[in-house]
Amino acid sequence: AKKASFIFRGRLIAEGNPERPIRFVPAKSKWGGVALQGMGTAGSRLAHVDFVAGRFPKFGLNSFPGMLNIHDTRDIGLDNVRLSGNRKSDDALHAAYVHGLKISDSRFLNVAADALDMEFSTGVIDGVTGMAAGDERIDWMASSVAAKAVAFAYRECSPIVAGARTM
């Protein structure tokens, strides 16, 4: 369906492998995006998953800001996830009110605005790379994040923005 989105309210286990990743891509028309919404999604794991050329998901009166959104949940793992070519969304990955988000060995490529936007969240980022973000590479607001091995190719905009109450 045109601008179709995937909104998950329960735990999602999506585990591809290097030779056969799970891919969220447009078919013939545009697609919206993916959201993990609420505590029912706690414990979700995504490994070897590609998100390509999405916009932002809509559900009823709700509109999410990123191609991939993780909101109001805990204990979420993203490993070897690639986000690229998002369109008309503020963020490639938007996380809000997430306790225990772990992102490892993941890439952001040619994203429209912020690559990773975390608000009021805690987590660990290890082995994340990216290039060609249209705005901030990483935008943290009131979040506590441990980051290592994070590398983004430089362009005119800010590589990392740490807003108020960020540690």
Side-chain angles (χ1 to χ4, degrees):
K2 188 174 183 180
K3 296 185 184 177
S5 295
F6 298 90
I7 312 296
F8 295 93
R9 294 187 181 272
R11 189 170 67 145
L12 172 63
I13 305 297
E15 297 178 335
N17 62 55
E19 295 78 32
R20 296 186 63 183
I22 296 169
R23 302 194 74 222
F24 289 87
V25 299
K28 294 182 180 179
S29 62
K30 302 168 188 160
W31 74 285
V34 174
L36 280 71
Q37 175 64 47
M39 289 305 292
T41 64
S44 291
R45 299 285 180 264
L46 285 73
H48 299 282
V49 179
D50 297 344
F51 297 90
V52 180
R55 291 177 178 244
F56 51 90
K58 292 182 179 181
F59 180 71
L61 298 175
N62 295 322
S63 183
F64 295 87
M67 179 169 56
L68 172 60
N69 302 271
I70 304 168
H71 292 181
D72 301 312
T73 188
R74 62 178 172 75
D75 186 31
I76 303 295
L78 306 178
D79 181 49
N80 283 286
V81 171
R82 291 185 300 189
L83 296 105
S84 63
N86 64 313
R87 301 176 184 154
K88 295 189 178 183
S89 58
D90 288 341
D91 312 311
L93 169 56
H94 186 263
Y97 300 98
V98 180
H99 179 71
L101 174 62
K102 183 177 181 189
I103 304 171
S104 59
D105 300 319
S106 295
R107 298 188 71 191
F108 296 85
L109 303 168
N110 301 314
V111 297
D114 294 353
L116 168 60
D117 192 332
M118 289 178 68
E119 300 172 357
F120 306 97
S121 296
T122 65
V124 175
I125 300 172
D126 185 4
V128 173
T129 61
M131 59 186 298
D135 201 1
E136 288 98 17
R137 295 348 180 239
I138 298 175
D139 187 354
W140 290 318
M141 176 61 74
S143 294
S144 178
V145 182
K148 73 176 189 177
V150 176
F152 279 85
Y154 177 75
R155 213 165 99 184
E156 291 79 32
C157 53
S158 304
I160 296 176
V161 174
R165 299 188 338 232
T166 296
M167 298 187 292

